């Protein structure tokens, strides 16, 4: 059975923007504020929440990050063909 994760993200065009936002994010509330304000993904309307998804469902670089970063913290910028993501993993099957 495929492993599941629940994550949110902020999607921006540049690594510089992603790094600037990361510096200012200390908790989930801040992460959600930036997701709403700055993310170019439609998930910005839901505080960046992507809901629950299975391993392998997202693009490879994003997927790899979701399964390797610490829970309940903001990731380093992750580059995909869509731009740069900051990812917050709420929960995942280990």
């Amino acid at each position: 059975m495929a492993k599941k994760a629940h994550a949110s993200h902020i999607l921006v065009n540049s690594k510089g923007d992603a790094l600037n936002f990361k510096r200012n994010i200390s908790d989930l509330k801040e992460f959600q504020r930036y997701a709403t304000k700055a993310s170019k993904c439609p998930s910005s309307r839901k505080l960046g929440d992507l809901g629950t998804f299975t391993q392998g469902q997202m693009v490879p670089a994003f997927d790899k990050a979701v399964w390797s970063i610490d829970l309940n913290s903001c990731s380093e910028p992750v580059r995909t063909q869509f731009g740069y993501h900051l990812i917050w993993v709420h929960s995942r099957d280990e």
Side-chain angles (χ1 to χ4, degrees), residues 12-25:
V12 294
N13 289 324
S14 78
K15 187 174 186 179
D17 284 346
L19 288 168
N20 282 337
F21 296 150
K22 179 174 172 44
R23 272 195 283 277
N24 295 308
I25 294 170

Side-chain angles (χ1 to χ4, degrees), residues 16-77:
D17 284 346
L19 288 168
N20 282 337
F21 296 150
K22 179 174 172 44
R23 272 195 283 277
N24 295 308
I25 294 170
S26 58
D27 59 26
L28 180 59
K29 203 171 219 40
E30 279 294 300
F31 186 94
Q32 291 171 331
R33 198 168 68 82
Y34 278 101
T36 302
K37 194 172 80 174
S39 181
K40 60 179 194 153
C41 178
S43 68
S44 64
R45 291 192 294 276
K46 297 182 289 187
L47 307 174
D49 196 335
L50 295 169
T52 301
F53 50 90
T54 56
Q55 191 170 23
Q57 198 175 334
M58 300 296 185
V59 296
F62 189 97
D63 194 64
K64 183 175 177 220
V66 164
W67 301 100
S68 61
I69 63 176
D70 291 338
L71 289 173
N72 298 306
S73 64
C74 184
S75 74
E76 292 298 320

